[in-house]
């Protein structure tokens, strides 16, 4: 087996082991940097009552902690399933150089993990979404943005 396949097998192994142990859904992910696994993530939604505890987010958080950075420029992410919109967002914020996936989002929908409705929501105007969104205190909220713009010692990312 080639190295890429070995890394994916580790993500798949996590997806099975942690699901069987009751942590959450059947999803695993690993972050690889310089040919080595530096973080292992898995779905932990049920065990932690955390709806954001998806495998990719878990792996990204652990990898960033391990490297002491908020960017994964030289890393690759291997995930047992094509990322949901939340994880896709986290991946773009973390900026790994490549993502490998096993199952597709269509495969996930077939077993009850259908995130297509979130992709559909993104396309809709705010007022037409299933969860209503309303703007409040825009002027007061802008204060933080003005201060960020004026901050001389900020770290851009
Ligand atoms: Zn996700």
């Amino acid at each position: 087996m080639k190295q890429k396949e070995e890394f994916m097998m580790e993500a798949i192994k996590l997806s099975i082991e942690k699901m069987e142990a009751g942590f959450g859904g059947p999803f695993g992910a690993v972050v690889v940097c310089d040919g080595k696994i530096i973080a292992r993530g898995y779905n932990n939604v049920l065990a932690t009552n955390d709806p954001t505890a998806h495998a990719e987010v878990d792996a990204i958080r652990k990898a960033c902690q391990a490297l002491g950075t908020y960017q994964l420029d030289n890393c690759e992410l291997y995930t047992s399933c094509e990322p949901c919109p939340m994880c896709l967002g986290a991946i773009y914020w973390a900026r790994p150089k490549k993502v490998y996936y096993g199952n597709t989002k269509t495969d996930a929908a077939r077993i009850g993990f259908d995130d297509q409705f979130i992709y559909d929501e993104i396309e809709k105007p705010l007022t037409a979404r299933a969860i209503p969104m309303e703007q409040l205190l825009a002027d007061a909220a802008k204060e933080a943005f003005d201060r960020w713009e004026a901050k001389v010692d900020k770290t851009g990312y």
Side-chain angles (χ1 to χ4, degrees):
M1 207 183 306
K2 281 199 223 135
Q3 211 179 20
K4 273 195 293 198
E5 279 84 7
E6 281 173 25
F7 294 143
M8 181 57 81
M9 271 314 298
E10 182 65 18
I12 293 167
K13 204 178 90 186
L14 284 162
S15 76
I16 295 169
E17 282 177 7
K18 301 300 182 180
M19 176 270 291
E20 297 280 356
F23 288 90
F27 305 96
V30 298
V31 173
V32 171
C33 200
D34 295 328
K36 278 198 309 245
I37 293 177
I38 60 159
R40 288 172 168 78
Y42 51 89
N43 186 294
N44 209 4
V45 170
L46 299 177
T48 60
N49 290 320
D50 180 354
T52 70
H54 288 193
E56 299 93 323
V57 168
D58 188 34
I60 287 169
R61 284 181 178 156
K62 287 171 177 167
C64 287
Q65 257 175 1
L67 295 177
T69 177
Y70 46 80
Q71 299 280 265
L72 299 174
D73 301 314
N74 287 311
C75 303
E76 290 152 355
L77 180 81
Y78 293 75
T79 172
S80 68
C81 184
E82 194 180 344
C84 78
M86 175 184 74
C87 292
L88 189 64
I91 287 163
Y92 272 83
W93 286 118
R95 301 184 181 99
K97 59 182 181 187
K98 187 162 181 178
V99 175
Y100 297 93
Y101 64 92
N103 290 305
T104 67
K105 60 182 181 180
T106 313
D107 298 328
R110 206 175 298 128
I111 60 157
F113 295 96
D114 189 1
D115 49 22
Q116 185 57 46
F117 84 95
I118 303 176
Y119 286 103
D120 295 342
E121 286 285 292
I122 292 168
E123 302 287 314
K124 294 180 188 169
L126 297 186
T127 51
R129 290 184 182 165
I131 298 176
M133 290 183 68
E134 180 183 334
Q135 191 173 27
L136 209 56
L137 294 179
D139 288 342
K142 195 173 171 293
E143 170 84 21
F145 283 12
D146 292 341
R147 289 186 184 220
W148 171 258
E149 270 203 302
K151 194 175 184 341
V152 289
D153 61 342
K154 69 185 166 201
T155 305
Y157 62 92

